């Protein structure tokens, strides 16, 4: 006997226009998997990634060898920019020549934030950030503040929601050099008002840097149109780039030439193979590359982003909102009566692609779920984070996982 929610899930899955994308992913084979709810932390591998990696090893790397850097239609040397342009077009609302793939998110964040701080006019010596931003963002900015003698201005973010436009307006001013915020909060899934906050920061004469790790590939955005200065993001969450896949950085054209990143390596130099004395930045976005591009790591990124481009980020967002709505409905029916607290905004306009559920015993519940092949995330002290990646999560997965949580605590 299936209950009403199960029936709804069957109907929603049958009518899902993105349903066929699940077939493009590598199925879990060697370990039991009941429901994967961590696609917002490590996206699943695409079959195209597996094929592309095999192809790279046998043909590109295996046969072209070092000629792969310079020969053919798509020489590796250009991948930081060409894969960057693809991400810009498919996910960011960014015209070509402003997005680059390199480094990890942490390193790219350091490079862009340092560049912004170094270019700040005299008297602007504050960096604005929030207490609930992702740890690496806080640590990197603490380091830069120490390195450069800049002061940190902390916004006290509500951990169940996130940073509001008014909070930003209150702290920015003529002392502000840089503001760094996450588009989607990693814990609550709060979706910050990117166009409004960017405008407030620009009106104050400061530079805005967005961390897109939890929004790229699942929440549409228009970086160019909204006048964003800088952004960073990772490619292994909703872009399915694989564990440790390289990050991307966006530097708006109006900031290029004005900003100089601190890790000035040979691959970001003009004419690197001249091996000439002295560093001269390459023109445009290329100057934000430091060392040899991570080609092996970019193969799955390219496959994942091409898939997102085909599916369309607007269609992905539509399903994402329905998935989180459905999960919240199940929370209200099954979990709220058992004292589970929803730590995620109910307004879909202010919510990203995951939900967080809290109860004091959820650390133990989470361990039991993992043992049963239901794989959400745990966020200290008491939050189970349910990530609903639209290209791989079914409505049936939502019912299964919420029922398993209920059964553990009832
Ligand atoms: C996942 C994530 C990161 C990860 O940084 P790495 O350098 O790739 O480990 C950074 N910021 C946010 C907001 C994230 O969600």
């Amino acid at each position: 006997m299936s209950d009403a929610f199960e029936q709804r899930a069957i109907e929603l899955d049958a009518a899902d226009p993105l349903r066929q994308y699940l077939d493009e992913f590598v199925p879990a084979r060697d370990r039991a998997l009941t429901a994967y709810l961590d696609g917002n932390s490590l996206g699943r591998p695409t079959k195209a990634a597996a094929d592309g990696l095999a192809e790279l090893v046998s043909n590109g790397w295996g046969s072209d060898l070092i000629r792969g850097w310079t020969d053919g239609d798509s020489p590796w040397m250009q991948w930081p920019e060409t894969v960057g342009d693809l991400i810009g077009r498919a996910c960011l609302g960014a015209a070509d020549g402003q997005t680059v793939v390199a480094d990890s998110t942490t390193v790219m964040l350091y490079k862009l934030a340092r560049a912004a701080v170094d270019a700040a006019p005299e008297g602007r010596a504050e960096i604005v950030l929030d207490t609930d931003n992702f740890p690496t963002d806080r640590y990197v900015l603490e380091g830069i503040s120490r390195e450069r003698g800049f002061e940190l201005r902390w916004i006290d973010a509500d951990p169940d929601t996130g940073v509001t436009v008014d909070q930003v307006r209150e702290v920015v001013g003529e002392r502000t050099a840089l503001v760094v915020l996450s588009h989607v909060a990693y814990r609550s899934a709060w979706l910050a008002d990117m166009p409004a906050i960017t405008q407030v920061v620009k009106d104050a004469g400061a530079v805005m840097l967005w961390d897109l790790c939890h929004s790229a590939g699942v929440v549409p955005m228009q970086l160019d149109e909204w006048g964003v200065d800088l952004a960073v993001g990772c490619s292994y969450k909703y872009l399915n780039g694989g564990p440790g896949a390289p990050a991307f950085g966006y530097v708006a054209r109006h900031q290029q030439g004005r900003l100089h990143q601190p890790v000035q390596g040979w691959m970001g130099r003009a004419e690197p193979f001249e091996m000439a004395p002295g560093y001269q930045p390459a023109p445009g976005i290329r100057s934000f590359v430091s060392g040899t591009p991570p080609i092996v790591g970019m193969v799955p990124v390219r496959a994942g982003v091409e898939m997102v481009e085909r599916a369309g980020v607007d269609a992905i967002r539509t399903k994402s909102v329905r998935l989180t709505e459905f999960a919240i409905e199940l929370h209200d029916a099954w979990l709220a009566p058992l004292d589970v607290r929803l730590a995620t905004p109910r307004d879909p306009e202010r919510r990203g692609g995951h939900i967080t559920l809290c109860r004091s015993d959820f650390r133990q519940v989470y361990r039991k779920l993992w043992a049963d092949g239901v794989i959400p995330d745990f966020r200290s002290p008491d939050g189970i984070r349910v990530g609903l990646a639209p290209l791989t999560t079914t409505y049936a997965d939502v019912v299964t996982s919420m029922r398993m949580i209920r059964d553990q605590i009832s």
Side-chain angles (χ1 to χ4, degrees), residues 104-106 133-134 136-137 182 186 211 213-214 234 236-237:
S104 64
T105 317
T106 301
N133 205 345
F134 193 82
T136 214
D137 300 54
S182 281
Y186 78 103
D211 184 327
C213 281
H214 265 87
C234 68
Y236 51 80
K237 291 173 179 164

Side-chain angles (χ1 to χ4, degrees), residues 188-354:
S188 69
W190 169 261
L191 174 55
D193 189 340
M194 186 190 280
I197 290 176
T198 302
Q199 194 56 52
V200 165
V201 170
K202 293 173 79 81
D203 288 347
V207 169
M208 182 72 222
L209 193 170
W210 286 102
D211 184 327
L212 309 176
C213 281
H214 265 87
S215 61
V218 72
V219 179
M221 63 193 89
Q222 297 298 332
L223 299 189
D224 288 355
E225 191 186 318
W226 297 341
V228 169
D229 299 294
L230 303 169
V232 296
C234 68
S235 64
Y236 51 80
K237 291 173 179 164
Y238 293 100
L239 300 179
N240 307 95
F248 63 85
Y250 165 90
V251 180
R253 213 174 286 284
H254 66 264
Q255 292 290 358
Q256 292 178 14
R258 189 179 100 77
L259 300 191
H260 301 284
Q261 59 105 343
V263 189
Q264 45 177 49
W266 69 314
M267 283 291 158
R269 192 194 187 278
E271 307 296 344
F273 294 102
E274 297 294 317
M275 313 278 178
Y279 178 81
Q280 303 286 341
I285 192 72
R286 181 73 187 196
S287 68
F288 290 86
V289 173
S290 297
T292 302
I295 300 305
V296 179
M298 277 194 257
V299 169
V301 174
R302 184 176 224 163
V305 180
E306 278 171 354
M307 171 179 288
V308 167
E309 187 177 39
R310 258 187 300 125
V313 78
D314 290 326
I316 292 172
R317 171 67 176 165
T318 300
K319 181 174 175 189
S320 169
V321 169
R322 290 199 181 124
L323 282 166
T324 50
E325 233 157 36
F326 192 48
I328 290 173
E329 234 187 281
L330 281 153
H331 159 269
D332 293 346
W334 289 351
L335 305 182
L338 300 169
D339 295 328
V340 175
R341 183 171 61 85
L342 177 71
T344 290
R346 284 179 178 273
D347 176 4
E349 297 274 302
R350 291 276 70 86
R351 186 174 70 232
H354 63 272

